[in-house]
Amino acid sequence: MAKMKSVIKLEVGNILLFEGDAIVNSANKSLLRGSGLCGAIHKAAGVQQLHAACHALGGCETGDAKTTEAFDLPCKWIIHAVGPNWHRHTPSEATALLKQTYQAIFREVALYKIERLAIPAISTGIYGFPADLAAEISICEVTAGVEANPELKEVCLIYSETGKYNLTRQVFEAHNAKMG
């Protein structure tokens, strides 16, 4: 489908600068400020206001997602997605949970009528999910999410590391070649 090729973009950059409707936060189950990207998002959005919004949601289970206002970030919404910790699950459980996480993100996209979305490499940082497997899952689930949400104009997969970007770019190109 030609629309998907123009809608899904990959880049190396800083997700905190994304000016679309929403960014995805690689959140922990409490949804409270963590380290890495999660900590950076809380700091950029405004620690106190985002803490209060996340606290009001009462946490989130692994494989699910919840949305808050983005406060001081240039986007409108933050989708807090709780991906699996590779070391706390069997490989098959972790794989299923990462797929669920992406599906939950796209449920939030539909609920909030999001047209422009940025997603990081979920669970591949301190949660230790293998980047190559995460790349396969992300491309598969993002493609399905785009197909299920025709209002989406752009999904930008933003990577802070060139290595993860290159892995995903290879998967993306192979996927597009198969799709014709």
Side-chain angles (χ1 to χ4, degrees), residues 1 9 13-14 21 43 52 60 101 106 109 119 127 148 154 161 163 168:
M1 185 174 202
K9 298 177 181 178
N14 184 347
D21 296 318
K43 184 177 178 184
C60 186
T101 304
F106 285 100
V109 163
I119 305 173
Y127 279 14
E154 177 183 42
E161 299 172 27
T168 309

Side-chain angles (χ1 to χ4, degrees), residues 10-44:
L10 284 76
E11 65 183 58
V12 176
N14 184 347
I15 198 168
L16 300 174
L17 303 176
F18 186 74
E19 295 181 353
D21 296 318
I23 64 170
V24 174
N25 176 21
S26 294
N28 56 54
K29 289 172 68 170
S30 73
L31 299 182
L32 302 180
R33 186 175 181 187
S35 61
L37 179 60
C38 181
I41 287 172
H42 277 258
K43 184 177 178 184

Side-chain angles (χ1 to χ4, degrees), residues 38-100:
C38 181
I41 287 172
H42 277 258
K43 184 177 178 184
V47 173
Q48 291 180 339
Q49 52 199 7
L50 188 53
H51 175 86
C54 287
H55 182 72
L57 293 175
C60 186
E61 292 301 314
T62 302
D64 205 357
K66 294 184 178 180
T67 301
T68 64
E69 200 177 320
F71 301 105
D72 296 338
L73 286 167
C75 58
K76 298 174 193 171
W77 307 106
I78 301 169
I79 300 173
H80 304 272
V82 183
N85 184 318
W86 181 258
H87 307 292
R88 293 188 182 156
H89 302 279
T90 66
S92 62
E93 288 171 337
T95 298
L97 284 167
L98 189 56
K99 288 177 183 180
Q100 276 181 238

